[in-house]
Amino acid sequence: MNKEIISKIISALIDQPVLGSIFIADFAVLAFHKPPFLFSVVMLAGLGALCMYYGQKLALFNLSQAEQTEKAD
């Protein structure tokens, strides 16, 4: 990974310490423990929501919009 991307991720986690700590704790519990099924489903949903939030906030890959082409006759 690029150092620029890593520093961007770390600064995003530091800027919002509550969300960052929830993300790290949630990932650690799901990765290293075996919680009950319903609890793990709720935690997985929370982890997915946090991933989507950070993905939108960071926008690591700047995608340009496709150029408009002329209509075919």
Side-chain angles (χ1 to χ4, degrees), residues 16-45:
Q16 296 176 340
V18 174
L19 290 178
S21 62
I22 289 172
F23 179 79
I24 293 169
D26 194 5
F27 181 76
V29 167
L30 285 173
F32 301 117
H33 298 291
K34 188 172 176 163
F37 178 73
L38 290 177
F39 185 66
S40 64
V41 168
V42 171
M43 290 185 69
L44 190 61

